[in-house]
Amino acid sequence: MAATAGAAAEIVREIAAVGAADLAAAVEPLRADCLRLARKVSLLTHLVAEVAEASSGEDGASEPEATAWVADLLLALQAARRFVALGRGPALHTGAADQDVNDKNIAVQFKYVTWQLQAALTNLPHNCFQISDEVQEEVDLVRGQLKREMEKKGALDLNIFSKIHDILAHHVDNVGSQSEEPNSQPETLPLENVSSDHLELQHVALLISEISGISKSDIKKITSELIEELENTTVAVSAKPTNGDGQTSDEAKDSPDKVKKSDTVAMPEDFRCPISLDLMRDPVIVSTGQTYERAFIQRWIDGGNRTCPKTQQKLQNLTLTPNYVLRSLILQWCEEKGIEPPTRSKYEGSSVEVGEDRLAIEALVRNLSCSSLDERKSAAAEIRSLAKKSTDNRMLLAESGAIPALVKLLSSKDPKTQEHAVTSLLNLSIYDQNKELIVVGGAIVPIIQVLRTGSMEARENAAAAIFSLSLIDDNKIMIGSTPGAIEALVELLKSGSSRGRKDAATALFNLCIYQANKVRAVRAGILSPLVQMLQDSSSTGATDEALTILSVLVSHHECKTAIAKAHTIPFLIDLLRSSQARNKENAAAILLALCKKDAQNLACIGRLGAQIPLTELSKTGSDRAKRKATSLLEHLSKLQVL
């Protein structure tokens, strides 16, 4: 098992090293899918390291359950590597119709790879490996990310994935070998006397077999076995999806009559999005008069396409006009048929209607990429202002493609243009849906570069942008693990302007909620400026911020030791005597955490005369302050008895 775990760790390192430059030849959406998958796999570095460590040596994990799980994880990672290899290979030059087919094939393979990896992480046998709390947090977050990726790719029944996976696993056990190179095009198999459902099943099985490394000579046998298996269990491709844990979705838990009705009722073709082929939630009209689901046509446009997917006509403009009439008809049809109506898409509900505002914003976004520096700077400044004013503007700017263009301007050599760009992204990130778009757009690394080398105002706003983006839990891991991110924030905390230090403190506090980032912050030297802030009697705000960060750091054992060694205890006791009520409360809480199961620290606060201010606080403080002070006094009393 040690060799298998080592192989898994090597694949994780290989995938984690893949960057945007390696995928330059890939077309969308393959390029974006590969980048997102590589980021998620990179977060498993610590998991595979701990599994490999537990698997090695005489006392290594050897239970059959552990061995089987490591093998399953390896298969999932091998499939992920093959998928990423598709993006690293030469681009296929095809017509629009063939490209649409290729995109759908890629979507099936991507969904299977994410499902397989998510299933492996779900089945992690915790009792077999010594997985730390920090790594478990990473695993849980990656599982959540993978689950959301599957949901984005549409409703293909995950029962099919499960059955194909079982058949493929059995095949691998019997044959014992797999191909490491994915086929560039699916092979066409001879088909006789098969239904349309079977044709689709065979195609799905073919795509999954290829990404799983099954040789072409074995694929026909596997697909025949799959169809026979599915016939016995009456699974259809159009069945309702299960959730990412393999359980039935809430909709599938409804009454059998309702499920049967929603599956069998024929949907009017006009209600389907021509791209996703699903019932539309937020239908919009493009300039050719065709209607699409907003999210799918926006993704098409964001990929650089300027033609109508259905008619191949050139789009005269990129305006997306809500089709309220069709939406009303869809809702009415759902009600008549007793089908759950589709939920609203993320951009619906904006009060900004198509018109001069949208056209003006689209013109501004185009100017972000023009050849004139002055025009780029002016457009970035105006977008900065618009994004600050309203949620409607933030939504509309994102729809118009402002985020990728602004990310490029973060590398501008003109300091003012750079400042406008990072501040625009900060203002756009206030709208939660834009946070993901900014991160997926590759903004983290250039924002950190601005944080390190930009003007002071740009650095301040870069720190604020990191704080805003880190409000999403998934981003805490990504930002914290990005080289130089926490170090740049610590440097701003040390030497920045008053506002810059405040922005850096806020961002660091939020990042340090995640366990692994606490250690990174301490190793980056955060304690030195925090101690200085505790001594700064001229700024109550600085003291409050320092105490807030310390209260988060002290929960980690390594950080707790470092805090004590940084000679913070005397300053904390001084705050008990003379600070504001809130700071007294936080100081008492930190002292209690430092002294729990640590007689040396407890003796130190006793020698420094903490009993008197603690006694006063136990009588006059807030409820929380009283509890902390009383607990500390009890510990001191026990120490004196000893």
Side-chain angles (χ1 to χ4, degrees):
M1 183 173 65
T4 306
E10 179 59 34
I11 293 176
V12 169
R13 286 192 291 270
E14 179 184 332
I15 296 176
V18 174
D22 301 303
L23 303 168
V27 297
E28 299 295 354
L30 175 60
R31 178 179 177 276
D33 287 344
C34 288
L35 275 175
R36 290 199 300 273
L37 182 61
R39 289 194 189 105
K40 291 169 179 58
V41 171
S42 69
L43 297 176
L44 300 177
T45 302
H46 299 112
L47 171 67
V48 294
E50 290 193 356
V51 169
E53 183 178 351
S55 304
S56 61
E58 294 181 1
D59 297 329
S62 58
E63 294 89 340
E65 182 184 8
T67 302
W69 181 82
V70 173
D72 201 35
L73 177 65
L74 180 61
L75 289 177
L77 290 171
Q78 287 172 337
R81 177 165 62 182
R82 293 186 197 95
F83 185 86
V84 173
L86 292 175
R88 302 182 73 176
L92 298 174
H93 300 287
T94 60
D98 289 338
Q99 184 60 49
D100 188 47
V101 172
N102 287 339
D103 288 348
K104 291 178 180 178
N105 291 345
I106 289 296
V108 171
Q109 291 180 320
F110 180 71
K111 187 170 183 181
Y112 178 76
V113 168
T114 53
W115 171 84
Q116 188 178 12
L117 193 54
Q118 195 266 350
L121 296 178
T122 299
N123 296 327
L124 171 63
H126 299 84
N127 58 312
C128 299
F129 304 105
Q130 299 298 320
I131 303 300
S132 64
D133 292 341
E134 294 93 333
V135 171
Q136 186 57 52
E137 283 187 9
E138 290 180 334
V139 171
D140 291 341
L141 283 170
V142 173
R143 281 176 52 204
Q145 291 177 339
L146 293 169
K147 186 175 180 180
R148 287 191 289 276
E149 287 288 0
M150 289 188 293
E151 291 169 351
K152 289 179 185 177
K153 291 298 180 181
L156 185 66
D157 188 355
L158 300 186
N159 285 323
I160 293 177
F161 284 173
S162 180
K163 292 192 176 298
I164 294 177
H165 176 267
D166 291 344
I167 292 172
L168 293 179
H170 178 70
H171 171 80
V172 171
D173 288 341
N174 289 338
V175 177
S177 65
Q178 289 177 296
S179 167
E180 279 300 316
E181 293 298 325
N183 299 313
S184 58
Q185 291 288 347
E187 180 188 13
T188 302
L189 300 176
L191 304 171
E192 297 179 2
N193 300 322
V194 292
S195 68
S196 59
D197 280 347
H198 286 175
L199 284 170
E200 188 169 354
L201 281 172
Q202 277 199 314
H203 185 64
V204 170
L206 172 61
L207 293 170
I208 293 174
S209 298
E210 287 181 339
I211 208 66
S212 300
I214 303 301
S215 64
K216 290 183 177 181
S217 59
D218 292 321
I219 290 179
K220 184 177 180 181
K221 176 183 177 182
I222 290 172
T223 53
S224 298
E225 185 178 345
L226 169 69
I227 289 176
E228 182 179 353
E229 177 87 11
L230 293 173
E231 280 180 340
N232 293 334
T233 55
T234 64
V235 176
V237 174
S238 60
K240 293 296 180 183
T242 62
N243 64 27
D245 296 327
Q247 298 171 331
T248 308
S249 67
D250 290 340
E251 187 174 359
K253 292 177 183 176
D254 289 340
S255 66
D257 291 341
K258 183 173 181 180
V259 174
K260 182 178 179 181
K261 188 172 185 179
S262 61
D263 284 342
T264 57
V265 171
M267 185 193 305
E269 286 302 312
D270 290 342
F271 292 179
R272 295 181 187 271
C273 171
I275 299 175
S276 69
L277 301 180
D278 291 329
L279 183 65
M280 285 186 279
R281 302 173 299 172
D282 184 8
V284 293
I285 305 169
V286 298
S287 62
T288 61
Q290 298 295 323
T291 296
Y292 298 92
E293 171 64 37
R294 183 188 292 274
F296 286 94
I297 190 61
Q298 187 65 57
R299 189 183 305 166
W300 169 267
I301 293 171
D302 289 346
N305 300 292
R306 294 298 180 265
T307 58
C308 174
K310 190 171 183 179
T311 67
Q312 295 305 306
Q313 293 175 290
K314 182 178 179 180
L315 296 173
Q316 298 303 313
N317 57 66
L318 302 182
T319 300
L320 303 179
T321 307
N323 193 334
Y324 294 118
V325 174
L326 181 58
R327 174 164 174 77
S328 177
L329 291 173
I330 290 173
L331 293 175
Q332 183 179 347
W333 177 78
C334 289
E335 184 176 352
E336 290 175 353
K337 302 300 181 182
I339 297 173
E340 187 72 20
T343 57
R344 285 173 167 260
S345 67
K346 63 184 178 182
Y347 287 121
E348 189 174 351
S350 171
S351 61
V352 177
E353 297 297 338
V354 177
E356 294 181 3
D357 288 345
R358 181 183 288 274
L359 295 175
I361 283 178
E362 289 172 349
L364 278 175
V365 171
R366 287 194 295 272
N367 286 343
L368 290 175
S369 304
C370 72
S371 57
S372 168
L373 172 61
D374 288 340
E375 287 190 26
R376 293 198 300 272
K377 185 191 304 184
S378 176
E382 193 163 349
I383 287 174
R384 171 181 179 174
S385 176
L386 285 170
K388 186 178 181 180
K389 288 180 180 177
S390 71
T391 300
D392 292 337
N393 285 349
R394 295 176 198 118
M395 295 164 63
L396 192 52
L397 283 163
E399 288 179 21
S400 300
I403 290 173
L406 289 167
V407 171
K408 290 181 180 179
L409 288 184
L410 292 174
S411 303
S412 174
K413 295 181 180 179
D414 178 65
K416 205 64 184 176
T417 301
Q418 187 182 71
E419 176 195 315
H420 290 324
V422 74
T423 311
S424 295
L425 289 170
L426 164 62
N427 293 338
L428 286 169
S429 72
I430 296 171
Y431 179 56
D432 281 347
Q433 298 290 356
N434 288 343
K435 287 180 171 66
E436 181 181 0
L437 298 177
I438 292 170
V439 171
V440 171
I444 298 299
V445 172
I447 286 176
I448 292 168
Q449 185 63 25
V450 174
L451 181 63
R452 293 175 55 217
T453 63
S455 66
M456 183 51 69
E457 186 171 353
R459 292 173 68 195
E460 293 167 357
N461 291 335
I466 289 176
F467 165 71
S468 177
L469 295 173
S470 68
L471 292 173
I472 304 297
D473 285 342
D474 295 356
N475 294 343
K476 288 181 176 68
I477 292 180
M478 184 177 297
I479 295 170
S481 62
T482 301
I486 288 179
E487 290 81 358
L489 287 169
V490 170
E491 182 58 35
L492 185 61
L493 187 65
K494 289 179 181 178
S495 59
S497 63
S498 175
R499 183 190 155 202
R501 291 196 298 271
K502 184 176 181 64
D503 288 331
T506 307
L508 284 165
F509 166 75
N510 209 45
L511 288 172
C512 288
I513 292 172
Y514 170 58
Q515 283 287 91
N517 289 340
K518 297 175 184 179
V519 180
R520 293 184 179 116
V522 168
R523 293 175 181 175
I526 193 175
L527 294 180
S528 175
L530 291 181
V531 171
Q532 291 295 321
M533 291 164 71
L534 289 179
Q535 295 176 268
D536 187 2
S537 59
S538 63
S539 175
T540 304
T543 303
D544 185 45
E545 289 156 6
L547 289 170
T548 304
I549 296 174
L550 286 171
S551 66
V552 174
L553 294 176
V554 77
S555 64
H556 191 286
H557 178 71
E558 181 178 331
C559 299
K560 171 183 170 179
T561 303
I563 291 170
K565 289 182 178 179
H567 307 294
T568 57
I569 290 178
F571 300 113
L572 293 170
I573 293 175
D574 285 343
L575 290 173
L576 290 178
R577 297 189 179 102
S578 59
S579 186
Q580 294 181 350
R582 173 179 169 81
N583 290 344
K584 288 181 180 180
E585 178 183 313
N586 284 333
I590 296 167
L591 285 170
L592 179 59
L594 288 172
C595 294
K596 278 187 174 179
K597 299 181 180 179
D598 194 315
Q600 186 176 353
N601 288 344
L602 189 60
C604 179
I605 72 167
R607 288 194 304 271
L608 293 172
Q611 289 94 334
I612 295 175
L614 284 172
T615 301
E616 179 66 22
L617 188 61
S618 68
K619 297 175 181 178
T620 62
S622 65
D623 290 343
R624 177 172 178 260
K626 289 178 181 178
R627 290 197 304 273
K628 302 298 181 182
T630 300
S631 182
L632 267 171
L633 288 169
E634 289 173 354
H635 284 297
L636 284 170
S637 177
K638 291 177 182 177
L639 182 65
Q640 291 172 356
V641 171
L642 295 174

